[in-house]
Amino acid sequence: MEMCKCENEPEARSLNFIEQIVEKDLAEGVNGGRIQTRFPPEPNGYLHIGHVKAICMDFGIAEKYNGVCNLRFDDTNPAKEDTEYVETIERDIRWLGFKWGQIFYASDYFEQLYDLAIRFIKEGKAYVDEQTAEQIAEQKGTPTEPGVASPYRDRPIEENLQLFEAMQRGEIEEGKMVLRAKIDMANPNMHFRDPIMYRIITSHPHHRTGRKWNVYPMYDFAHGQSDYFEGVTHSICTLEFEVHRPLYDYFIDQFSGANFCGLSPYGPDYRPKQREFNRLNITYTVMSKRKMLQLVKEGLVAGWDDPRMPTVCGLRRRGYTPQAIRTFMDKIGYTKVEGMIDQGLLEHTIREDLKETAPRVCAIFDPVKLVITNYEGEGETLVAENIDGHPELGTREMKFGRELWIERGDFLEEADNKFYRLSPGGREVRLKASYIIQATGCEKDAEGNITTVYATYDPDSKSGTEGGNRKTKATINWVECNSALDAEVRLYDRLFAVENPSAEEGDFRDLLNPNSLEVKTIKIEGSLRSELHEPVLVDGIEQENHYQLLKQGYFVVDPDTTADKLILNRTCSLKDNYLK
Ligand code: ATP
Ligand code: MG
């Protein structure tokens, strides 16, 4: 796979190739000018950022061309699916800001699909095969060599009917028989070599239909038909389905056009059309529900919403905003070429988003105490802008007093003249949004570690007053000791240590980055006390609060926060390596 660095400006972007197809179809009046799409997740895991690429396409096309996008759960495999996943998929799509028309389930069509299968059998287009999955696979042939016909291929229609009905009644053991379409064992497209239409699953009840069904349709027999029953016009999916498209069309041909038999209200000329675009792959992560499920089940991450996960709920907990995720999709665009997107682009996008909106606060990660020896009185309340130079974005109060926490690295007992921060010897340093100070000395413990730094301040140098304009070579962060809050920060890094874990040999779990999480306790300004509460819901959706901790990065309040303990997750650092 090639590595792409793509950056289209969304405003200036020309139509993507799917939009071009849609506009052509509209101009030609295809399907009466109707636009209907669907997003068809299988409820067997949580949505990941790859799905969001499809969501932005499916919902985006409907939005842009006055159509409708429905949500359809592709729930044809009860062994892997669950209502838990249905609920989280709905929640994640709502959080992203998309609205579906209706919710459908492939399982809504089990009756119709079964009837269709019976019709295929009666028309001599399907047969029951008793071979094992391995035998069937062995007979498939290769793209250049034809396959071998199953010994059951020419079974009489009546026998096929009886066996298929017995399969559905639960009289046949799982794995013992399948229903196959009788198409062409020599077709150069392997998907035409008598694809499986139905299999038996008796081991698991279905999350919606319970034990009603013992046979379940395969993807190829369910997906196109579901599109057809619903009236989908543009069935947009990822490139790996391109080779399935002729089969998608073949099945629909059997009951539309000249073969129309009333299965759609849109008449004989109506046709859903499948179109494919490139999947999203991102460096240093995996994009497969199966692998993610394994990480969750084995406790290798804290859950589906672990902030290191590429899931929608993980990104959200990491501090990604819906807007940033959608902007990212706009930047990468849609093509027919598979590639790998640099994780740096995703980080760049959220950084650019938060730069405009996240209030700045002071936090001290490696604190040492600073005492301002000439400061008298109880302390005072200063007012600082949430984002410097943007008074319209509000202000916050900062307590100031005689004792402050500063970063240990901002003080040197002996420094050369390239060090502009605190050191005894007359250099002036500004405390962020506050006064100018000069260090006078320090105190150490028996091991020689500095325990307290001493300084004096200039009462006429306060920011926001005339003296506040006086320039210093350095500004340092601080938080006032009495009002400071302890916070836990969770510093996340990439989940995998290698760029493309899916391309490596061996077990992908061995490729996890052992240093993907560091937890620290820090001092943060008391204004964050307002965050000590349960998450706030607006329209049933939790609201995330984002901050820039000055010099440290962008952080989001974690939902584990309680009235006693503030927890912040690092979304990304301040440094952007992507553009370099
Ligand atoms: P996974 O391989 O992670 O299990 P899937 O393709 O089986 O994913 P589905 O729930 O079947 O997951 O996918 C729903 C829709 O999302 C499909 O239309 C699929 O094409 C699309 N999709 C899934 N993964 C990606 C991806 N990485 N990039 C773009 N679209 C994707
Ligand atoms: Mg799938």
Side-chain angles (χ1 to χ4, degrees):
M1 270 194 265
E2 72 190 81
M3 187 83 155
C4 0
K5 262 202 175 183
C6 357
E7 190 134 10
N8 308 336
E9 276 313 311
E11 305 79 44
R13 142 172 112 60
S14 51
L15 296 182
N16 66 47
F17 77 99
I18 303 264
E19 290 166 336
Q20 288 173 17
I21 290 171
V22 169
E23 295 205 356
K24 184 163 173 283
D25 288 346
L26 282 173
E28 291 171 2
V30 174
N31 288 324
R34 255 181 350 102
I35 298 295
Q36 185 173 324
T37 60
R38 84 288 168 266
F39 174 63
E42 181 177 0
N44 63 349
Y46 283 53
L47 293 182
H48 53 61
I49 190 163
H51 292 116
V52 183
K53 182 172 179 179
I55 289 172
C56 288
M57 170 59 84
D58 296 328
F59 285 88
I61 289 284
E63 239 163 55
K64 184 163 178 177
Y65 297 104
N66 293 318
V68 63
C69 177
N70 296 313
L71 179 57
R72 180 171 72 236
F73 291 102
D74 215 343
D75 55 346
T76 54
N77 182 0
K80 296 208 170 125
E81 297 155 4
D82 204 328
T83 30
E84 174 201 347
Y85 300 129
V86 170
E87 283 157 18
T88 59
I89 288 169
E90 290 178 23
R91 184 200 63 196
D92 287 349
I93 297 173
R94 273 200 303 270
W95 178 75
L96 286 166
F98 292 104
K99 292 198 168 58
W100 52 81
Q102 284 174 269
I103 296 187
F104 297 117
Y105 293 83
S107 55
D108 291 339
Y109 314 124
F110 281 169
E111 200 79 53
Q112 280 151 283
L113 290 168
Y114 184 80
D115 292 346
L116 256 188
I118 296 278
R119 193 154 78 211
F120 271 62
I121 296 173
K122 287 185 175 162
E123 290 172 358
K125 293 174 185 165
Y127 61 96
V128 172
D129 198 338
E130 293 177 41
Q131 299 183 101
T132 63
E134 293 73 39
Q135 284 169 321
I136 292 176
E138 270 166 29
Q139 292 168 349
K140 273 260 146 132
T142 67
T144 49
E145 281 166 66
V148 175
S150 161
Y152 301 99
R153 196 167 197 263
D154 292 318
R155 211 195 263 288
I157 288 175
E158 199 45 44
E159 208 178 300
N160 283 319
L161 268 180
Q162 280 166 12
L163 285 174
F164 187 54
E165 283 164 4
M167 284 166 64
Q168 162 52 13
R169 282 195 302 269
E171 292 162 13
I172 316 286
E173 214 181 299
E174 203 168 305
K176 291 287 183 218
M177 290 184 192
V178 291
L179 182 71
R180 292 178 74 179
K182 190 170 174 178
I183 311 180
D184 177 6
M185 287 306 289
N187 198 295
N189 182 336
M190 304 279 286
H191 294 283
F192 273 78
R193 297 188 184 175
D194 291 9
I196 297 174
M197 294 165 62
Y198 266 90
R199 59 184 156 170
I200 302 168
I201 300 177
T202 49
S203 50
H204 293 77
H206 188 278
H207 69 105
R208 293 184 75 237
T209 58
R211 295 272 177 200
K212 179 166 182 210
W213 297 93
N214 291 306
V215 290
Y216 290 91
M218 301 297 289
Y219 174 87
D220 284 318
F221 193 68
H223 200 88
Q225 275 78 312
S226 303
D227 285 344
Y228 185 87
F229 298 149
E230 285 165 15
V232 168
T233 57
H234 295 79
S235 179
I236 309 166
C237 59
T238 35
L239 276 175
E240 70 273 23
F241 294 106
E242 197 168 20
V243 285
H244 294 250
R245 196 208 290 182
L247 186 57
Y248 177 103
D249 288 333
Y250 166 86
F251 281 135
I252 292 172
D253 280 343
Q254 308 311 309
F255 48 85
S256 67
N259 298 324
F260 185 67
C261 49
L263 287 176
S264 162
Y266 298 108
D269 295 333
Y270 155 68
R271 290 295 300 230
K273 282 198 207 157
Q274 182 183 302
R275 293 288 178 256
E276 310 84 10
F277 64 84
N278 59 337
R279 282 179 84 83
L280 173 60
N281 299 295
I282 297 183
T283 54
Y284 299 102
T285 191
V286 290
M287 210 71 83
S288 136
K289 284 185 279 194
R290 184 180 56 79
K291 288 180 180 162
M292 289 180 202
L293 180 64
Q294 212 174 341
L295 295 177
V296 171
K297 278 201 166 150
E298 294 173 15
L300 297 169
V301 293
W304 285 98
D305 68 347
D306 185 301
R308 290 164 291 189
M309 290 279 271
T311 49
V312 173
C313 53
L315 287 164
R316 175 180 176 184
R317 196 161 177 183
R318 179 74 171 258
Y320 276 78
T321 60
Q323 191 48 55
I325 297 174
R326 290 171 70 162
T327 303
F328 171 76
M329 296 305 162
D330 254 330
K331 283 180 196 276
I332 61 172
Y334 297 85
T335 71
K336 283 258 182 195
V337 187
E338 291 290 3
M340 180 66 95
I341 301 291
D342 184 344
Q343 194 164 98
L345 177 60
L346 187 60
E347 288 174 12
H348 168 75
T349 313
I350 185 63
R351 194 178 284 116
E352 292 292 299
D353 184 41
L354 295 175
K355 195 153 96 186
E356 307 293 325
T357 55
R360 277 50 167 168
V361 293
C362 277
I364 302 298
F365 277 52
D366 183 14
V368 67
K369 189 172 278 184
L370 174 85
V371 176
I372 302 173
T373 50
N374 64 336
Y375 189 84
E376 309 288 336
E378 292 299 295
E380 62 192 288
T381 300
L382 308 175
V383 175
E385 284 174 1
N386 283 336
I387 299 185
D388 284 350
H390 287 277
E392 76 284 2
L393 296 176
T395 57
R396 68 186 193 282
E397 294 189 339
M398 287 176 88
K399 290 275 186 269
F400 185 81
R402 185 181 160 84
E403 298 196 349
L404 312 177
W405 296 112
I406 60 167
E407 293 288 354
R408 189 167 286 280
D410 283 342
F411 174 79
L412 275 186
E413 198 180 5
E414 285 170 35
D416 64 19
N417 55 13
K418 291 203 190 82
F419 185 79
Y420 297 128
R421 286 164 288 159
L422 284 177
S423 187
R427 74 194 75 188
E428 292 195 320
V429 171
R430 180 170 295 283
L431 294 171
K432 178 72 186 169
S434 169
Y435 294 97
I436 291 176
I437 59 170
Q438 290 184 37
T440 51
C442 66
E443 199 169 283
K444 289 186 235 177
D445 64 14
E447 279 90 55
N449 302 311
I450 294 170
T451 52
T452 314
V453 173
Y454 294 100
T456 56
Y457 87 121
D458 174 357
D460 296 325
S461 64
K462 184 165 151 179
S463 297
T465 68
E466 207 170 301
N469 295 329
R470 205 164 90 219
K471 292 273 177 279
T472 57
K473 282 204 164 154
T475 299
I476 65 167
N477 292 330
W478 55 276
V479 301
E480 192 269 330
C481 292
N482 289 321
S483 57
L485 204 59
D486 282 344
E488 177 178 309
V489 287
R490 299 176 179 170
L491 307 174
Y492 292 103
D493 199 352
R494 42 179 69 137
L495 184 53
F496 284 89
V498 299
E499 202 166 87
N500 186 0
S502 306
E504 306 278 330
E505 306 260 311
D507 193 327
F508 78 104
R509 292 167 298 181
D510 297 338
L511 305 170
L512 285 165
N513 172 8
N515 305 313
S516 59
L517 172 59
E518 183 191 349
V519 180
K520 268 177 113 90
T521 300
I522 61 155
K523 302 281 182 195
I524 197 159
E525 62 182 68
S527 65
L528 270 275
R529 215 169 285 279
S530 60
E531 294 291 349
L532 292 172
H533 55 69
E534 302 289 312
V536 175
L537 301 183
V538 175
D539 291 336
I541 293 189
E542 282 170 26
Q543 300 301 296
E544 291 89 31
N545 286 337
H546 306 268
Y547 293 95
Q548 185 194 101
L549 306 197
L550 288 164
K551 297 189 180 168
Q552 297 290 347
Y554 291 100
F555 287 73
V556 65
V557 179
D558 188 85
D560 282 349
T561 295
T562 62
D564 309 314
K565 186 175 183 190
L566 177 63
I567 301 173
L568 297 166
N569 298 333
R570 184 171 66 196
T571 308
C572 60
S573 61
L574 295 179
K575 212 167 63 212
D576 195 333
N577 294 322
Y578 180 72
L579 294 175
K580 291 197 189 113

